[in-house]
Amino acid sequence: KIDVVGLQEADFNTISGISQFESLIRLLRARGGDYRVVSGVGTTAGTRILYNAATVSLHRAGMRQLSTLGGDVNRYVVWGEFVQNSTERRFFFATTHLIPEPKPVATHKCSGAQSKRYKMRRTQAGQVMAEIAASNTGNVPVILTGDMNSHKVQCPTNAPYRVFTGAGLVDPLGNPDRSRVPVNPTTEVRIHSEWDTSN
């Protein structure tokens, strides 16, 4: 019964001849609701937004291609401004997929060295916030989701997290750098939020 969800890599494979996001829409519709994909934003390398038109209305949408390193898949931020049908309140929803590290290096020492990919994620996070600032013309509440390809306990720091919270976004799970337990979480329900999502 979700209203809006952000997806990444949702175009890369097909299931029975349809894309992954189309398969998800069918599954969600089978459980009730009028699920749709935000369209008209161009090719976004699988970064998509699905929403339930029975509960929210899409007012407008857009996207921005992010900087990347040579040879990597293009990266995007996709956004939509929605209206909650029951209250007529507006909100701004964005989702993104930042560049990954090639492979995490397990080490017990933290040198603090910053890789090119680390710096690119920091740049991309800044571009995401710039797109939100430029597009959220109604100054409505913002929800940002995505695959940030970042880790709160790996060195040197979680650069996107610092960019996003430094720009005023609130982390609902309370997961700052190096935390092992939630720190001032605001979400009502947390399930194993202390774990990395790739475990």
Side-chain angles (χ1 to χ4, degrees):
K1 296 183 179 180
I2 54 177
D3 292 325
V4 187
V5 62
L7 306 176
Q8 299 77 45
E9 301 183 32
D11 291 352
F12 293 166
N13 295 298
T14 59
I15 301 166
S16 300
I18 63 171
S19 71
Q20 290 169 300
F21 78 85
E22 290 169 323
S23 178
L24 282 170
I25 288 174
R26 288 183 182 187
L27 290 168
L28 288 167
R29 284 179 178 168
R31 301 191 74 135
D34 181 13
Y35 288 92
R36 303 177 187 184
V37 63
V38 169
S39 59
V41 295
T43 302
T44 56
T47 303
R48 301 278 188 163
I49 298 174
L50 305 185
Y51 66 100
N52 185 356
T55 57
V56 297
S57 299
L58 179 62
H59 178 61
R60 60 194 184 93
M63 55 79 79
R64 174 181 175 175
Q65 184 174 341
L66 306 176
S67 299
T68 192
L69 297 173
D72 192 50
V73 174
N74 289 334
R75 305 290 167 159
Y76 298 86
V77 57
V78 178
W79 58 265
E81 184 178 327
F82 293 89
V83 178
Q84 187 77 38
N85 294 341
S86 61
T87 64
E88 297 187 359
R89 291 185 65 186
R90 292 182 183 266
F91 64 95
F92 191 94
F93 186 98
T95 193
T96 192
H97 190 185
L98 306 185
I99 190 172
E101 284 292 340
K103 288 183 181 178
V105 178
T107 178
H108 297 290
K109 293 185 177 181
C110 183
S111 67
Q114 296 180 359
S115 71
K116 288 180 182 178
R117 289 178 170 269
Y118 170 90
K119 292 175 183 176
M120 182 52 68
R121 275 194 301 281
R122 183 172 55 209
T123 297
Q124 289 174 333
Q127 292 172 338
V128 167
M129 290 311 304
E131 180 66 12
I132 290 172
S135 303
N136 185 13
T137 55
N139 197 30
V140 297
V142 172
I143 300 166
L144 173 63
T145 67
D147 181 351
M148 308 309 171
N149 273 310
S150 301
H151 200 292
K152 67 179 179 176
V153 296
Q154 287 180 347
C155 295
T157 61
N158 185 341
Y161 185 95
R162 290 183 174 205
V163 170
F164 297 145
T165 56
L169 295 183
V170 174
D171 170 17
L173 297 177
N175 265 325
D177 288 345
R178 314 289 191 273
S179 68
R180 296 293 183 182
V181 296
V183 178
N184 300 320
T186 60
T187 189
E188 295 176 2
V189 178
R190 296 179 311 282
I191 302 172
H192 299 302
S193 60
E194 70 275 20
W195 298 108
D196 180 5
T197 57
S198 63
N199 67 65

